[in-house]
Amino acid sequence: MASGLDTQTLDSVFKSRPDILQDIHKAADSPSRVQLFNKIAGFIYEQIGDQQSGSSLKRRRVDIEPSQNGNTPNATATATIEDVTSENILLEIKDISVSIPQRKKFELCFTPKHLYARVPGTTTPAPGIVYAWKDVEYAFYLPVPEKSQVQHNYVLFPRNSFALSKSGAPIEEPLVFTVSAGAPKPGSIGGPNAGAASAVSDSYSTLFHWALNKCLQAAGNNVQIVSADPSKFHSKVRQPHRPKEPAVHVKGFRGSKDGYLFFLENGILWGFKKPLLFIPLDKIAAISYTNVLQRTFNMVVEVFTGENGDDEATDEVEFAMLDQEDYGGINQDYVMRHRLQDRSMADQRKAKRELAENAKGKKDADGEGDEANGHAGEDGMTELERAQMEAEQQLQDDEDEDEEDYDPGSEGESEGSGTSSEEDDDDDDAAEDDEMDEDDELGEGD
């Protein structure tokens, strides 16, 4: 009965899935099933509609998924699974933990034009995890925070993956995979370049740095792998897992999700949960601070989005609950060093700052702008530092007042504070009477 199948259409549609073809032939044991399979194949054939050069048949064409939503396809989207699979694999590295776009262990395959992930035991790229070398715009090598064992994440951002949409999420997803500080396991490296790779396989980092740089350069891409430099920026907060090692990240929140900020030489990276975000320095319009409290503060990054072709269009990204100990490093070592504007006293920020309601005194209008930009005032303190000190002083004053109002004899009654206040008033009146009597005596003496 299987002889009634439209084998030409079925073969063209399911060319890359011989297992499905085999199952169809086994299941086509009645005229109704043969007709059903032929209809399915014909429908898919019409939907795909790719004309194969030199043939009247159409072949299956599956565009590589460049991102989670594919709103802005790049050059990678013009390739097909067949195209990428047909490329010679120069190097393959097994048992690599990928966290973005998918959390799973994959084999990473290096070809002349692409880097892609492959499920162990298969021969085709995993959908959505294919990156053209020429499209990689940023590459990073960063420590994984809060791990007792040293681990690092490699992060590759294709073009437009750092841009912001209206939802605040990157338009495309980067590639993030994790490596340990040790050397690759025996037998985990394959491909024609495995011999050359063995010479640089003392650790995963030396292996991947070598492989990534070689492939990027061969594709004419001069992107460099950027690492965090603790001599330029590091957190003042002690790491509980590795206390002797300075942390190069700052813990915080973006919305309800916790994560880590990395202040790098070419921008600010937020990781390592979806959506990952990288903001290049040249995309930052301003950095300001809000919700400045005794122990934490928020940082707002105003980003040029270029939305609708408007180069001045901006959007704001807020990172919350940053430790107050890291303010000096962020403001002095990063914001001021890179000459980023700090608009913490701008009108649009004032309503968001809880501290403004408790701050005392009036500030000089001329000095206010300089202090808001991170410059020290006459007392050598920035506006944020002075505001913090005033807030702490206000808290201390409130505590002192509470202690003064407390009456041990009131047995916890709420009227106790009123009794204390009345006694203070009586004492003040008595003191004034004594002073008046003394003045009268002096007058009589004259």
Side-chain angles (χ1 to χ4, degrees):
M1 190 62 65
S3 59
L5 291 171
D6 185 353
T7 55
Q8 272 193 329
T9 304
L10 285 167
D11 289 344
S12 64
V13 168
F14 297 108
K15 180 181 178 181
S16 63
R17 292 298 302 273
D19 56 326
I20 294 179
L21 278 173
Q22 187 177 0
D23 290 341
I24 289 175
H25 282 276
K26 289 181 180 179
D29 54 4
S30 67
S32 60
R33 289 189 175 184
V34 170
Q35 186 179 11
L36 176 61
F37 290 142
N38 287 339
K39 284 184 178 180
I40 292 173
F43 174 77
I44 298 175
Y45 171 91
E46 292 175 359
Q47 292 295 312
I48 295 174
D50 269 334
Q51 192 73 28
Q52 187 175 24
S53 177
S55 172
S56 61
L57 293 178
K58 295 181 180 179
R59 66 180 175 90
R60 174 176 177 263
R61 183 179 183 88
V62 181
D63 287 342
I64 303 300
E65 300 174 13
S67 67
Q68 57 187 353
N69 49 30
N71 289 338
T72 307
N74 53 26
T76 307
T78 63
T80 65
I81 287 182
E82 288 87 352
D83 293 337
V84 178
T85 304
S86 65
E87 295 180 21
N88 294 326
I89 296 178
L90 305 176
L91 182 69
E92 59 182 39
I93 305 174
K94 301 176 182 178
D95 297 326
I96 299 301
S97 297
V98 175
S99 55
I100 296 177
Q102 300 178 33
R103 185 174 292 277
K104 191 174 182 179
K105 278 203 171 183
F106 288 99
E107 298 173 350
L108 291 185
C109 299
F110 295 71
T111 74
K113 295 181 180 180
H114 295 89
L115 169 68
Y116 66 84
R118 185 177 67 188
V119 176
T122 64
T123 58
T124 57
I129 317 183
V130 180
Y131 300 87
W133 293 117
K134 63 180 181 180
D135 291 332
V136 176
E137 191 159 11
Y138 296 99
F140 302 99
Y141 175 73
L142 302 171
V144 180
E146 300 185 356
K147 296 287 186 181
S148 56
Q149 299 296 324
V150 177
Q151 295 179 337
H152 284 79
N153 278 337
Y154 278 93
V155 185
L156 301 183
F157 283 90
R159 301 188 188 282
N160 298 320
S161 62
F162 57 85
L164 294 175
S165 67
K166 290 182 179 179
S167 64
I171 295 174
E172 298 182 15
E173 284 193 289
L175 171 66
V176 181
F177 61 92
T178 306
V179 297
S180 66
K185 297 178 181 178
S188 62
I189 303 174
N193 288 348
S198 63
V200 291
S201 297
D202 295 336
S203 66
Y204 274 110
S205 61
T206 56
L207 170 61
F208 274 105
H209 270 64
W210 171 81
L212 292 170
N213 285 328
K214 283 289 184 182
C215 290
L216 288 168
Q217 293 170 8
N221 192 335
N222 61 356
V223 169
Q224 300 296 315
I225 301 174
V226 175
S227 301
D229 186 350
S231 66
K232 294 182 178 179
F233 178 86
H234 66 272
S235 173
K236 302 299 187 294
V237 179
R238 179 175 171 270
Q239 290 192 95
H241 297 81
R242 299 197 296 273
K244 295 182 180 180
E245 178 183 328
V248 291
H249 64 272
V250 173
K251 189 172 183 179
F253 285 82
R254 184 184 175 200
S256 60
K257 292 186 177 182
D258 61 331
Y260 308 96
L261 284 167
F262 293 85
F263 295 88
L264 306 170
E265 62 185 47
N266 57 346
I268 300 173
L269 187 145
W270 169 258
F272 288 102
K273 297 179 181 179
K274 292 184 179 183
L276 205 68
L277 178 64
F278 176 65
I279 309 174
L281 286 178
D282 58 7
K283 292 284 185 179
I284 298 176
I287 291 181
S288 59
Y289 309 102
T290 67
N291 293 346
V292 183
L293 304 176
Q294 185 175 5
R295 296 182 179 179
T296 63
F297 67 98
N298 294 3
M299 183 181 75
V300 178
V301 183
E302 186 179 355
V303 184
F304 290 112
T305 62
E307 195 169 359
N308 299 323
D310 183 3
D311 293 338
E312 297 301 318
T314 62
D315 196 2
E316 290 185 348
V317 183
E318 184 170 19
F319 303 101
M321 300 294 290
L322 308 184
D323 197 295
Q324 189 64 244
E325 291 184 44
D326 285 320
Y327 167 71
I330 294 173
N331 191 59
Q332 300 291 332
D333 299 341
Y334 197 80
V335 173
M336 296 182 65
R337 179 163 60 88
H338 290 286
R339 299 181 179 180
L340 303 174
Q341 280 184 295
D342 173 4
R343 301 177 184 173
S344 58
M345 291 301 292
D347 292 338
Q348 65 267 31
R349 310 274 191 249
K350 290 181 181 179
K352 297 180 181 179
R353 296 190 58 186
E354 296 178 4
L355 186 61
E357 298 178 358
N358 300 325
K360 292 194 225 176
K362 295 182 180 180
K363 299 188 174 52
D364 182 31
D366 296 333
E368 193 172 79
D370 290 339
E371 293 168 10
N373 287 323
H375 298 297
E378 293 181 358
D379 56 2
M381 301 176 67
T382 66
E383 185 275 332
L384 184 62
E385 292 169 335
R386 186 182 301 106
Q388 178 189 353
M389 183 189 70
E390 292 174 353
E392 292 176 352
Q393 183 61 46
Q394 181 66 37
L395 289 173
Q396 185 62 45
D397 292 344
D398 293 342
E399 291 176 359
D400 293 343
E401 290 178 4
D402 292 340
E403 292 175 358
E404 291 173 0
D405 292 341
Y406 175 65
D407 182 4
S410 64
E411 295 183 356
E413 295 180 1
S414 59
E415 290 82 1
S417 59
T419 304
S420 176
S421 177
E422 291 170 0
E423 291 176 354
D424 291 344
D425 292 340
D426 293 342
D427 292 340
D428 292 340
D429 292 340
E432 290 176 4
D433 292 338
D434 293 339
E435 290 176 0
M436 292 178 65
D437 292 338
E438 290 175 3
D439 292 342
D440 292 342
E441 292 175 359
L442 290 172
E444 291 175 358
D446 294 342

